[in-house]
């Protein structure tokens, strides 16, 4: 039997996979800069001595005047996640305005994080692990949800190497991604062409791989994360609906 410590660690990674890249930015096929409301659902599973399954739903809805709501809801045996971003869509770029994150469950500690972006004053304020913070904004800075939206947009627009500055917690990280090859992938009884991308890490045995389907508007159809101990965590697209 796994120790409680290992169980908690595995649960945390599973939840991260459920919340991470849980849906596409859903750009219109004819106008690349235009966002289209959508709803997508994914299943997730963790392997290595512990069987845990869950589902994630991500939605993108217009609030009018180029303001959008990007939301993730995770429902699993171990915990629930509510994560949302209100942002402005400007010339093909995500401009974050209000980010909220809430984690609750019986195998993990409850957690609430928040970030408010005041671009006129050049300041971000929020709370991380119950402690308030304030820091200076920099041009192009993204949040933990916004960079996922921007990644999909950039891959769709032909970029193959991407670097983002992300305000996560109360510090700014540099995240790098690269499309490494094309690959056919089975989805039901069909073989679909995909672009395989990877999160670029230095001096780390952790691996994160993503598959985007050009035939499905570059929708994320699979994400796989391999931990240094060999544990595997994976999410797969279940269904998606787009407003035409």
């Amino acid at each position: 039997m796994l120790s409680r410590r290992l169980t908690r660690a595995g649960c945390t990674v599973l939840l991260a996979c459920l919340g991470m890249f849980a849906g596409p930015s859903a750009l219109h096929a004819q106008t690349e800069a235009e966002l289209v409301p959508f709803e997508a659902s994914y299943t997730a599973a963790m392997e290595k001595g512990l069987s845990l399954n869950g589902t994630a739903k991500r939605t993108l809805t217009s609030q009018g005047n180029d303001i959008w709501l990007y939301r993730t809801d995770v429902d699993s045996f171990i915990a629930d996640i509510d994560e949302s971003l209100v942002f402005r869509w400007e010339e093909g770029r995500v401009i974050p305005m209000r980010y909220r994150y809430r984690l609750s469950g019986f195998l993990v500690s409850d957690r609430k994080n928040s970030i408010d972006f005041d671009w006129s004053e050049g300041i971000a304020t929020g709370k991380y692990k119950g402690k308030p913070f304030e820091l200076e904004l920099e041009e192009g800075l993204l949040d933990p949800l916004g960079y996922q939206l921007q990644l999909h947009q950039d891959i769709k627009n032909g970029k193959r190497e991407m670097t983002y500055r992300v305000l996560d917690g109360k510090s700014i990280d540099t995240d790098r991604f690269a499309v490494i090859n094309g690959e056919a992938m089975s989805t039901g009884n069909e073989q679909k062409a995909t672009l395989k991308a990877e999160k670029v890490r230095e001096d780390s045995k952790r691996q994160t791989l993503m598959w985007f389907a050009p035939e499905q508007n570059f929708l994320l159809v699979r994400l796989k994360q391999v931990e240094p101990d060999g544990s595997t965590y994976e999410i797969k697209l279940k269904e998606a609906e787009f407003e035409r």
Side-chain angles (χ1 to χ4, degrees):
M1 181 179 291
L2 294 176
S3 68
R4 186 171 181 82
R5 179 180 179 184
L6 179 57
T7 300
R8 284 179 178 270
C11 291
T12 300
V13 177
L14 176 62
L15 287 168
C17 284
L18 279 164
M20 181 182 180
F21 306 109
S25 60
L27 301 180
H28 194 280
Q30 296 180 349
T31 308
E32 291 185 350
E34 182 182 354
L35 290 177
V36 174
F38 79 92
E39 180 176 311
S41 60
Y42 291 78
T43 59
M46 181 178 76
E47 298 177 2
K48 190 178 179 180
L50 183 65
S51 178
L52 291 174
N53 297 286
T55 60
K57 182 175 74 173
R58 178 160 289 184
T59 57
L60 177 66
T61 55
S62 173
Q63 308 299 293
N65 298 318
D66 295 322
I67 304 299
W68 293 79
L69 173 62
Y70 198 36
R71 184 179 182 87
T72 298
D73 295 287
V74 174
D75 182 14
S76 73
F77 170 72
I78 52 176
D80 297 329
I81 293 176
D82 297 316
E83 189 174 22
S84 65
L85 169 67
V86 176
F87 69 95
R88 188 168 71 253
W89 184 246
E90 189 174 281
E91 298 181 350
R93 293 177 54 223
V94 172
I95 312 295
M97 298 171 62
R98 180 181 182 272
Y99 171 81
R100 295 292 184 269
Y101 175 93
R102 182 175 66 85
L103 168 69
S104 59
F106 71 92
L107 284 178
V108 294
S109 300
D110 290 358
R111 187 185 308 168
K112 289 184 179 181
N113 298 330
S114 66
I115 310 172
D116 290 288
F117 295 80
D118 189 337
W119 292 99
S120 62
E121 297 293 331
I123 296 294
T125 58
K127 286 188 176 181
Y128 179 67
K129 295 183 177 180
K131 297 182 179 180
F133 69 86
E134 178 179 311
L135 54 78
E136 185 177 347
L137 290 173
E138 58 183 63
E139 186 177 356
L141 189 65
L142 294 165
D143 65 284
L145 267 182
Y147 89 88
Q148 299 174 33
L149 196 68
Q150 194 67 57
L151 173 66
H152 173 271
Q153 164 73 355
D154 290 343
I155 290 177
K156 180 180 175 67
N157 287 341
K159 291 187 179 181
R160 295 300 176 255
E161 293 184 358
M162 291 71 62
T163 300
Y164 306 113
R165 294 282 283 168
V166 181
L167 175 53
D168 192 358
K170 56 182 179 180
S171 62
I172 298 176
D173 300 325
T174 300
D175 290 342
R176 296 181 176 88
F177 300 86
V179 175
I180 53 179
N181 59 31
E183 186 174 295
M185 192 180 74
S186 296
T187 56
N189 297 323
E190 295 182 281
Q191 285 280 329
K192 290 189 178 295
T194 66
L195 287 177
K196 185 178 180 181
E198 182 175 16
K199 184 171 184 179
V200 180
R201 292 185 171 95
E202 297 180 2
D203 303 321
S204 175
K205 294 183 179 180
R206 179 178 289 111
Q207 185 181 43
T208 302
L209 298 170
M210 296 150 283
W211 287 260
F212 297 87
E215 294 179 8
Q216 293 177 281
N217 199 29
F218 289 83
L219 179 69
L220 177 79
V221 293
R222 181 187 177 196
L223 180 142
K224 181 178 182 180
Q225 182 160 305
V226 181
E227 295 296 303
D229 66 357
S231 300
T232 301
Y233 310 91
E234 190 168 9
I235 66 171
K236 291 184 178 181
L237 178 69
K238 185 177 180 182
E239 59 184 358
E241 295 183 2
F242 303 86
E243 181 177 300
R244 299 297 180 182

